[in-house]
Structure formats: structure tokens, C-alpha cells
């Protein structure tokens, strides 16, 4: 109970401590393992969550939550192939036992995992299922729209989805950047620039992708000096060979 309260209070470290104690006192209480793993995931400790879930796997039968949380933990560790194995196993289990478990959050996570493994067809299918369950969910609208924009496909649909996300959360820097990017992909760099600059102002902290996009837009508009500054900013935040080559190609001031 104390662990649940800590979780509800957004104190994942405290919740993890309570659930760890619950496991020591009642090692056959399966739900305590799942709640501990969830608390560890909420504390960005995917490796710890995997250890917890491995202990549960050795003690209890396979369940939806066991595979779903394992998928999230592997994803947090950027092991997307393993994450996909767990998430697809969770989907099979849920379909056989309790299809209601396959909610918008599940299909969002599955879609993101497919996208990160380069399986764009299944990613699109998963996000479409997610949006069928929750058509106005801004996070899913933005993800699918940006995925299409990044690949230069379904640009009209991508823009429609991203505009819906921005309308829902107009101060979300990631969504505004997505709008800039889809406009850029639609060969509207002047409009794109307005939103790209707005995205940089809305960022809670500088983001390399946003500044990379800004550089590309400036370069298309022949604003070479501004493009160079944006790419240099991006490169200062995160090493990126592609951006380094852009700077080489654009030349020195």
C-alpha cells in the first residue's frame, strides 16, 4: 500500500524501496515484482527493472505484464530487437487471455519499437491501431506524423496529424519542430522556418535534432551563416558525423 502511494505521488524511488521490502516479506507475491519493475522504469532504471523481471520470470508463469514491462525495459536500454520480442509475445498473450490489455499505450510502445527497428510497415499499423483507440492522442499523432515526414511519405496525412498534435499542445517544442519538418518536406521552407525558430524558443533545454532541422531549413533558404550557426549548435550538443559533413560542405565563413 505504501508503495502504491509513493507511485501515485510520483516518487518512483520510494515506491521501489517499498516494493522491494514487500518482495522480501512475500516472495511469492507476483504483483510486487511487477510494481517494483514499473517503479524502476519510472525512475529510468531499465537495467534494474530487467533484473526484477528476470526474478519474476523464474518464479511465475509468463504473463502479459511480465513481457510488456520487459519490452519497456529493453527499449529503455535501447535493445529494440529484444524489446520487440517481448512486446509481440505480450500481444499474443493478451489476445488469448484479455484483449482489453491491448490499449493505446501498448500499441504506442509497439509502434515505437517497430519504428526503431526499421520496420515501418508494422510501425504504421501499430500507430493506426493506437489512434483508432484514441484518435486525438497528441503524442501518437505526432509520432506517426513525424515518422512519415522523416521518410518523405504520406506528407499531407503527416501534416494533418502533426497539426492536430500542435493544436492540442501548442507549446510542445517537439510537436512544433515536427510541424516545421513536415512543412520543410513539403517544400515550404519559409513557413517551416517560423515554426523551427518557435521550437527552439519552446525547448526546455537545447536539442540537437531541432537545431539540425533549423540548419537544413536555413541552408535551403540560402541563409548560409545562420545554417552554419544552427549546425554548430547541434554538433556542440551531440556528436554527429552527418552534421559534421554538412558543415564541411557549407564551408568556412
Amino acid at each position: 500500500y505504501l508503495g502504491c502511494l509513493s507511485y501515485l505521488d510520483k516518487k518512483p524511488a520510494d515506491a521501489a524501496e517499498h516494493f522491494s521490502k514487500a518482495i522480501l516479506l512475500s516472495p511469492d507475491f507476483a504483483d510486487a515484482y511487477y510494481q517494483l519493475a514499473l517503479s524502476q522504469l519510472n525512475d529510468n532504471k531499465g537495467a534494474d527493472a530487467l533484473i526484477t523481471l528476470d526474478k519474476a520470470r523464474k518464479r511465475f508463469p509468463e504473463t502479459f505484464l511480465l513481457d510488456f514491462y520487459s519490452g519497456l525495459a529493453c527499449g529503455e536500454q535501447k535493445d529494440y530487437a529484444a524489446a520487440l520480442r517481448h512486446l509481440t509475445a505480450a500481444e499474443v498473450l493478451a489476445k488469448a487471455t484479455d484483449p482489453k490489455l491491448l490499449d493505446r499505450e501498448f500499441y504506442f510502445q509497439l509502434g515505437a519499437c517497430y519504428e526503431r527497428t526499421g520496420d515501418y510497415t508494422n510501425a504504421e499499423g501499430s500507430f493506426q491501431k493506437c489512434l483508432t483507440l484514441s484518435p486525438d492522442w497528441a503524442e501518437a499523432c505526432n509520432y506517426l506524423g513525424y515518422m512519415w515526414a522523416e521518410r518523405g511519405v504520406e506528407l499531407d496525412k503527416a501534416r494533418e496529424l502533426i497539426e492536430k498534435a500542435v493544436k492540442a499542445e501548442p507549446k510542445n517544442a517537439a510537436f512544433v519542430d515536427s510541424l516545421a519538418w513536415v512543412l520543410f518536406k513539403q517544400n515550404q521552407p519559409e513557413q517551416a522556418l517560423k515554426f523551427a525558430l518557435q521550437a527552439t524558443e519552446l525547448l526546455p533545454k537545447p536539442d540537437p535534432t531541432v537545431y539540425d532541422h533549423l540548419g537544413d531549413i536555413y541552408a535551403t533558404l540560402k541563409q548560409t551563416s545562420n545554417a552554419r550557426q544552427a549546425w554548430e549548435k547541434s554538433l556542440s550538443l551531440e556528436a554527429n558525423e552527418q552534421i559534421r559533413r554538412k558543415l564541411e560542405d557549407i564551408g568556412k565563413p
Side-chain angles (χ1 to χ4, degrees):
Y1 176 73
L2 287 174
C4 292
L5 284 179
S6 296
Y7 169 64
L8 292 172
D9 287 340
K10 308 298 181 186
K11 298 177 181 176
D14 290 346
E17 181 181 351
H18 291 303
F19 287 124
S20 295
K21 290 177 180 177
I23 289 170
L24 286 174
L25 292 169
S26 303
D28 290 325
F29 181 33
D31 194 54
Y33 292 82
Y34 302 142
Q35 293 298 332
L36 173 57
L38 182 59
S39 300
Q40 290 165 330
L41 284 167
N42 284 327
D43 204 20
N44 299 312
K45 293 182 177 178
D48 290 346
L50 284 172
I51 292 170
T52 299
L53 293 163
D54 188 53
K55 290 177 181 176
R57 188 170 282 105
K58 291 174 181 175
R59 187 175 286 269
F60 308 109
E62 190 174 13
T63 65
F64 170 82
L65 280 182
L66 184 56
D67 273 314
F68 181 49
Y69 290 165
S70 295
L72 297 183
C74 288
E76 198 260 355
Q77 295 290 291
K78 302 189 186 309
D79 186 353
Y80 299 118
L84 191 56
R85 288 196 299 272
H86 285 296
L87 292 176
T88 51
E91 185 179 26
V92 170
L93 280 167
K95 284 180 176 179
T97 59
D98 189 358
K100 293 192 299 295
L101 294 168
L102 300 175
D103 59 9
R104 71 174 197 173
E105 179 66 29
F106 175 81
Y107 280 113
F108 182 93
Q109 296 295 341
L110 183 61
C113 197
Y114 273 126
E115 184 265 335
R116 285 163 178 156
T117 58
D119 186 344
Y120 299 112
T121 299
N122 277 314
E124 179 180 329
S126 295
F127 282 117
Q128 295 285 20
K129 288 178 182 178
C130 175
L131 288 169
T132 297
L133 293 166
S134 188
D136 297 322
W137 191 17
E139 194 73 30
C141 289
N142 178 71
Y143 203 123
L144 178 55
Y146 181 79
M147 185 181 81
W148 278 335
E150 183 71 357
R151 297 173 57 234
V153 301
E154 302 286 4
L155 291 177
D156 289 340
K157 291 180 182 178
R159 180 172 173 178
E160 183 179 341
L161 285 173
I162 293 166
E163 286 177 337
K164 182 186 285 191
V166 171
K167 184 177 180 181
E169 298 183 28
K171 294 189 177 181
N172 186 309
F175 297 175
V176 174
D177 173 67
S178 294
L179 183 53
W181 198 233
V182 75
L183 287 165
F184 176 72
K185 291 284 189 167
Q186 290 183 312
N187 298 315
Q188 299 179 47
E190 294 88 355
Q191 281 187 268
L193 180 60
K194 178 180 72 172
F195 290 107
L197 289 169
Q198 185 180 339
T200 65
E201 294 171 0
L202 291 169
L203 285 169
K205 63 178 181 179
D207 181 89
T209 300
V210 171
Y211 280 98
D212 181 28
H213 289 167
L214 180 60
D216 285 357
I217 294 166
Y218 273 135
T220 298
L221 292 169
K222 309 300 183 185
Q223 298 186 33
T224 305
S225 177
N226 286 332
R228 184 183 300 109
Q229 288 179 21
W231 284 332
E232 286 175 346
K233 178 69 173 179
S234 179
L235 205 57
S236 74
L237 297 167
E238 182 179 86
N240 186 301
E241 181 62 24
Q242 187 178 8
I243 296 173
R244 190 187 64 77
R245 287 198 297 269
K246 289 178 187 179
L247 283 166
E248 287 181 353
D249 291 342
I250 208 170
K252 295 181 178 180

